[in-house]
């Protein structure tokens, strides 16, 4: 079949999307994971080489629906997939993503005479700030990324630029840009021996970012309290910040990937960390992949501990988050926010490419995304964010997050009382445990033999999916509740029925 014979109308694509949506809606109820037969069939259907003559659009489409789709897991379509804090895709976001694919905008340069895409992206960023209760006058600098990993690269890169310049300023050296002259030369001129990232149980993406940026994975250090690995030891933090031979980035985990708990216990701690960073010339970064969404909750006592853990985020220099987690928009989508308007441009600007210069003939001074982020070619991933925020508003997202937290707390209370399981980190006070639980439940089986196979046995049921992990050297399971379809009573019954059957 020749390409000219393919029906490429938008209506045809929408028909296919609707068909696929109906399949997804029915299939998640049959299991979170594909069966062994479905996986084998899907793999067997894959061609060994490219045929000279194509099979045609209709046959290819049927192959996808009949062979490939049954071999995919239900990580986004099932409310009982509790791994990787995947989130789901709201109907509004799915519609917008279909538009993104159909119109295929390359959102890299702000060209107001050509497209409204960058205006929409800039507006979506503002709406996101409103949702997260971040002041537009301070925070309206940022960009959409592929996810938290890319966002953490941006955050550490901006922090690297700032911290090395701060070290040079202290020594009276010339203020040179790492983006312009390179890390080695600028560090030499500044008289420092290296950079360090100080955090508490940082996410692996932050460590990966440090490796990519020449900071080094070994220079990401845990500065936690002896009695609590999740919280900063402020005395240790100051001792590290005082090392004159190092430039420093401080990264606050909001929240920790296994427990969902926060690295600070309230505004007072964030104020003290901010004071120390200012005193020693460090950059303060917040890795808020999913924890930052706690800021959308109301001020009721039910969620006071979560709101307290999010307090003071606005004191940071940069913030990262994941849209494809609790915002429930499709992969891939993250965001990077910065309190400093020009630092990202110093690092990521495109040099000597006149054809990439944006036109500012009309509208606000919207920065071209290619000069403040990693990519020169970018998908219009902001449109699902924009559409979902318009469709559901703050109240809609509050309602979903409240259900997720209530389900997590109901499960953690049940696990706490069960003789076969233990909640991690270990606590003695159930009320305190419930109060601190966000949307993750970390637990293990008390029986070592069961615990070693617990995650795989749970997942083999295909009724729910949990992440296998470890806590302080012991195997554990994590239930991360992030899908907008959550139903507290229905899903609690499913989870506890599975866990009860494991304990028999």
């Amino acid at each position: 079949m020749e390409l000219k014979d393919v029906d490429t109308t938008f209506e045809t694509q929408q028909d296919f999307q609707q068909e696929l949506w109906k399949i997804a809606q029915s299939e998640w109820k049959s299991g979170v994971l594909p069966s062994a037969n479905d996986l084998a069939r899907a793999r067997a259907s894959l061609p060994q080489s490219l045929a000279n003559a194509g099979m045609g659009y209709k046959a290819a489409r049927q192959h996808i629906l009949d062979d490939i789709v049954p071999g995919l897991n239900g990580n986004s379509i099932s409310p009982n997939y509790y791994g990787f804090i995947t989130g789901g895709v709201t109907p509004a976001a799915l519609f917008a993503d279909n538009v993104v694919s159909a119109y295929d905008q390359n959102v890299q340069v702000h060209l107001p005479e050509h497209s409204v895409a960058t205006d929409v992206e800039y507006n979506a960023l503002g709406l996101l700030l409103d949702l997260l209760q971040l002041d537009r006058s301070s925070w309206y600098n940022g960009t959409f990324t592929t996810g938290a990993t890319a966002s953490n690269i941006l955050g550490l890169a901006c922090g690297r630029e700032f911290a090395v310049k701060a070290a040079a300023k202290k020594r009276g050296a010339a203020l040179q840009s790492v983006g312009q002259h390179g890390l080695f030369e600028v560090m030499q001129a500044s008289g420092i021996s290296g950079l360090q990232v100080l955090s508490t149980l940082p996410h692996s993406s932050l460590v990966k970012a440090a490796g990519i940026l020449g900071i080094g994975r070994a220079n990401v250090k845990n500065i936690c309290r002896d009695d609590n690995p999740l919280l900063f030891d402020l005395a240790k933090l100051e001792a590290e910040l005082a090392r004159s031979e190092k430039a420093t980035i401080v990264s606050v985990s909001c929240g920790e990937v296994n427990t969902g708990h926060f690295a600070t216990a309230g505004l007072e701690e964030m104020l003290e960390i901010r004071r120390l960073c200012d005193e020693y010339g460090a950059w303060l970064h917040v890795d808020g992949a999913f924890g930052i969404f706690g800021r959308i909750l109301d001020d009721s006592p039910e969620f006071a501990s979560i709101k307290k853990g999010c307090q003071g985020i606005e004191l940071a220099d940069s913030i990262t988050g994941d849209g494809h987690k609790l915002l429930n928009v499709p992969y891939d989508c993250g965001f990077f926010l910065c309190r400093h308007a020009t630092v990202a441009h110093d690092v990521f600007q495109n040099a000597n490419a006149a054809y990439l210069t944006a036109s500012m003939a009309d509208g606000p001074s919207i920065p071209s995304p290619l000069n403040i982020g990693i990519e020169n070619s970018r998908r219009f991933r902001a449109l699902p964010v924009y559409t979902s925020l318009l469709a559901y508003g703050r109240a809609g997202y509050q309602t979903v997050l409240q259900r997720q937290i209530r389900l997590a707390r109901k499960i953690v209370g049940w696990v706490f009382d069960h003789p076969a399981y233990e909640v991690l980190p270990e606590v003695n006070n159930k009320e305190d445990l419930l109060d601190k639980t966000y949307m993750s439940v970390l637990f293990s089986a008390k029986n070592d033999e069961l615990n070693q196979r617990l995650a795989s046995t749970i997942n083999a049921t295909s009724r729910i999916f949990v992440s296998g992990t470890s806590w302080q050297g012991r195997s554990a399971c994590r239930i991360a509740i992030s899908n907008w379809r959550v139903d507290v009573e229905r899903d609690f019954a499913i989870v506890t029925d599975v866990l009860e059957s494991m304990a028999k």
Side-chain angles (χ1 to χ4, degrees):
M1 174 176 284
E2 296 182 17
L3 288 179
K4 64 181 178 66
D5 297 323
V6 176
D7 186 350
T8 57
T9 64
F10 185 49
E11 288 77 12
T12 298
Q13 300 304 317
Q14 283 191 310
D15 289 343
F16 173 56
Q17 185 67 59
Q18 291 171 2
E19 181 179 358
L20 196 57
W21 176 253
K22 291 177 182 177
I23 294 171
Q25 287 292 89
S26 62
E27 286 198 351
W28 72 259
K29 297 179 181 179
S30 64
V32 178
L33 298 179
S35 68
N37 287 338
D38 286 336
L39 287 170
R41 178 181 174 183
R43 293 189 176 107
S45 73
L46 301 175
Q48 300 302 306
S49 61
L50 178 64
N52 186 55
M55 66 172 63
Y57 166 68
K58 289 185 178 179
R61 175 175 118 159
Q62 210 58 45
H63 161 63
I64 296 300
L65 292 174
D66 294 345
D67 301 324
I68 303 302
V69 167
L72 303 178
N73 66 42
N75 66 338
S76 183
I77 62 174
S78 171
N80 304 122
Y81 185 94
Y82 303 121
F84 310 114
I85 316 183
T86 298
V89 181
T90 65
L94 183 64
F95 161 75
D97 202 55
N98 197 38
V99 175
V100 171
S101 295
Y103 282 88
D104 199 25
Q105 304 288 283
N106 186 359
V107 193
Q108 82 283 48
V109 180
H110 178 55
L111 296 170
E113 303 92 342
H114 296 182
S115 173
V116 74
T118 46
D119 301 78
V120 172
E121 177 167 325
Y122 191 69
N123 191 267
L125 198 67
L127 296 176
L128 185 60
L129 294 175
D130 296 342
L131 178 72
L132 300 175
Q133 299 182 46
L134 293 169
D135 183 13
R136 288 194 183 205
S137 66
S138 299
W139 284 99
Y140 215 159
N141 312 293
T143 189
F144 287 95
T145 69
T146 57
T149 302
S151 294
N152 276 328
I153 291 172
L154 266 63
L156 293 195
C158 290
R160 181 186 65 179
E161 182 82 6
F162 177 91
V164 171
K165 284 181 179 177
K169 186 176 181 180
K170 279 187 177 182
R171 294 168 178 264
L175 301 185
Q176 294 181 318
S177 168
V178 174
Q180 182 69 21
H181 298 284
L183 180 60
F184 180 73
E185 289 188 15
V186 175
M187 282 176 54
Q188 276 199 319
S190 303
I192 59 175
S193 62
L195 285 88
Q196 58 183 359
V197 180
L198 309 179
S199 189
T200 59
L201 295 184
H203 190 268
S204 60
S205 65
L206 190 84
V207 183
K208 181 176 183 176
I212 292 169
L213 292 167
I215 297 169
R217 291 184 291 272
N219 288 314
V220 180
K221 303 175 182 178
N222 278 309
I223 311 297
C224 56
R225 287 168 31 176
D226 293 336
D227 63 338
N228 190 330
L230 298 168
L231 297 177
F232 274 98
D233 185 315
L234 296 179
K236 290 180 184 177
L237 179 62
E238 182 166 16
E240 286 291 334
L241 287 169
R243 296 178 61 183
S244 60
E245 79 279 10
K246 297 285 186 180
T248 303
I249 300 165
V250 176
S251 179
V252 176
S253 298
C254 180
E256 193 272 329
V257 67
N258 281 310
T259 63
H261 294 176
F262 300 93
T264 54
L267 180 59
E268 295 77 13
E269 285 189 38
M270 278 297 289
L271 284 168
E272 180 60 13
I273 293 172
R274 177 73 268 174
R275 184 191 70 79
L276 291 171
C277 287
D278 289 340
E279 180 177 346
Y280 293 101
W283 180 271
L284 181 53
H285 175 69
V286 169
D287 181 359
F290 58 90
I292 192 173
F293 290 96
R295 291 176 66 90
I296 74 177
L297 294 165
D298 60 40
D299 293 323
S300 65
E302 182 180 6
F303 306 112
S305 64
I306 306 303
K307 293 278 284 189
K308 191 173 182 181
C310 297
Q311 284 179 343
I313 286 177
E314 67 277 0
L315 300 172
D317 296 297
S318 59
I319 299 172
T320 66
D322 256 329
H324 54 241
K325 287 185 168 63
L326 296 189
L327 206 58
N328 275 243
V329 298
Y331 277 109
D332 54 18
C333 181
F335 54 88
F336 171 72
L337 307 172
C338 188
R339 211 159 42 86
H340 306 271
T342 62
V343 176
H345 185 271
D346 291 342
V347 178
F348 297 105
Q349 64 180 283
N350 277 261
N352 303 319
Y355 73 97
L356 296 177
T357 302
S359 168
M360 295 300 182
D362 301 299
S365 180
I366 297 174
S368 288
L370 86 169
N371 284 324
I372 54 174
I374 297 170
E375 303 151 306
N376 278 9
S377 299
R378 306 171 70 250
R379 197 169 191 267
F380 191 14
R381 61 177 66 93
L383 189 62
V385 174
Y386 173 83
T387 310
S388 282
L389 290 174
L390 288 183
Y392 309 118
R394 179 179 290 108
Y397 276 104
Q398 277 183 348
T399 299
V400 171
L401 185 56
Q402 287 170 359
R403 292 203 307 264
Q404 291 163 343
I405 295 171
R406 287 166 181 158
L407 175 59
R409 289 178 173 179
K410 194 163 186 174
I411 292 171
V412 82
W414 183 91
V415 173
F416 181 88
D417 292 332
H418 200 286
Y421 297 108
E422 58 185 354
V423 177
L424 302 171
E426 294 182 33
V427 293
N428 295 319
N429 188 315
K430 183 177 178 180
E431 290 305 313
D432 186 53
L433 169 68
L434 294 173
D435 188 54
K436 290 182 178 178
T437 297
Y438 181 27
M439 32 63 68
S440 291
V441 178
L442 186 67
F443 67 101
S444 64
K446 294 178 180 178
N447 179 278
D448 287 339
E449 190 276 329
L450 172 61
N451 195 52
Q452 287 298 316
R453 56 180 174 82
L454 184 59
S456 59
T457 307
I458 289 172
N459 294 340
T461 69
S462 198
R463 296 183 66 195
I464 66 174
F465 182 92
V466 302
S467 291
T469 184
S470 64
W471 183 258
Q472 296 183 334
R474 192 166 188 267
S475 296
C477 293
R478 185 195 68 178
I479 294 173
I481 301 163
S482 56
N483 196 289
W484 64 272
R485 295 176 178 85
V486 66
D487 180 285
V488 176
E489 298 304 324
R490 178 199 66 199
D491 297 336
F492 174 75
I494 293 171
V495 170
T496 54
D497 187 54
V498 171
L499 294 184
E500 189 67 69
S501 69
M502 299 295 108
K504 291 178 180 178

